[in-house]
Structure formats: C-alpha cells, structure tokens
Amino acid sequence: MAHSARLFLERRLRAHGASFATWRTLELLAQRGPMIQGELAETLGVRGPTATRGLDRLVSEGLVRRRRLSTDRRKAEITLTETGARLHERLAGVIEEANAALAYGIPRQDLDTLRALLDLVCRNAEEEPDRQVAAEP
C-alpha cells in the first residue's frame, strides 16, 4: 500500500520535474531550517554516499546550498536556496493535490482516525520500545 502511494506521488512529482527524494529533502529543510549534512541524511534514512550524491545534484540545480562550518570543516550545513524554496512551494501544491486524490471517497472522520493511527505507528517505530507486546489474536 505504501509503495503504491509513493509511486503515485513519484509520478505526480516527475510531471513537475522533481523526484520523491527531492521533495523529501526540500520539505525537511523547509520545515526544520538549515541542517548538518549527516543529520539530514540520517533523518532521510539514507547513507552518507547516497546523501552526498543527492545533495551534489540539488546543489548543482541551485536548490540547496552547502557550507562548510568554520568550527568543524568536516561538517557541512545544508540550507534551502530561494530557488529551492520556490520549488518547494510549487511541489507542496502538487503533494496536496495528490494526497487529496489518494484520499478521495474516504470520509473526513476516517481520515482523521487513519492519521492518528499512522502517527502512533510512527511514534512506536521511533521509540523502539523495550516492552514486550503480546501479539493480538
């Protein structure tokens, strides 16, 4: 199910010259502001070399800026450029329309319940609880 939704979003984004990976990076930077490259990669769930290649592409497209920190030259701060912010704004509309299409026909109350349940699943995944949970019959 998640795979189908992602492919749907990918097709919509591709029609606007972007990828899902580009969207995720721009969205994260728009929400959180400048980030250290390693933290950005970790948050996106990608390894260093993959993040570096993706960011190199975004830098060359003028969507993000990479700046070495004077306090630690091994670390780079990644920021959204004005061009990146404009693309993010345009893609946010594409994502909003795509999400509306995916949710078509689902009553508002059910969507609210779905969002709450998915938030709970995400919190459980992030917290990696040590508690033993009995499987539901």
Side-chain angles (χ1 to χ4, degrees), residues 22-126:
T22 296
W23 162 251
R24 288 183 60 218
T25 303
L26 297 180
E27 172 72 356
L28 190 57
L29 291 169
Q31 286 184 1
R32 295 192 183 178
M35 295 182 73
I36 301 301
Q37 183 170 325
E39 294 167 359
L40 177 63
E42 184 177 326
T43 304
L44 291 170
V46 295
R47 295 184 185 258
T50 301
T52 299
R53 283 190 303 274
L55 288 171
D56 285 347
R57 184 180 49 77
L58 296 178
V59 167
S60 72
E61 293 174 5
L63 301 175
V64 301
R65 183 175 302 111
R66 181 188 285 128
R67 180 180 65 88
R68 293 283 170 204
L69 299 179
S70 60
T71 55
D72 186 346
R73 303 279 302 153
R74 295 169 297 171
K75 293 184 179 180
E77 179 183 68
I78 308 299
T79 57
L80 205 53
T81 63
E82 286 184 35
T83 302
R86 284 193 304 272
L87 178 60
H88 171 264
E89 188 174 320
R90 217 173 58 238
L91 294 179
V94 171
I95 292 293
E96 189 175 319
E97 290 173 6
N99 284 336
L102 288 171
Y104 179 77
I106 302 173
R108 170 62 54 197
Q109 182 178 351
D110 291 344
L111 282 174
D112 291 343
T113 300
L114 176 61
R115 283 188 184 102
L117 291 171
L118 290 174
D119 285 346
L120 178 58
V121 168
C122 289
R123 278 195 310 277
N124 286 343
E126 289 170 1

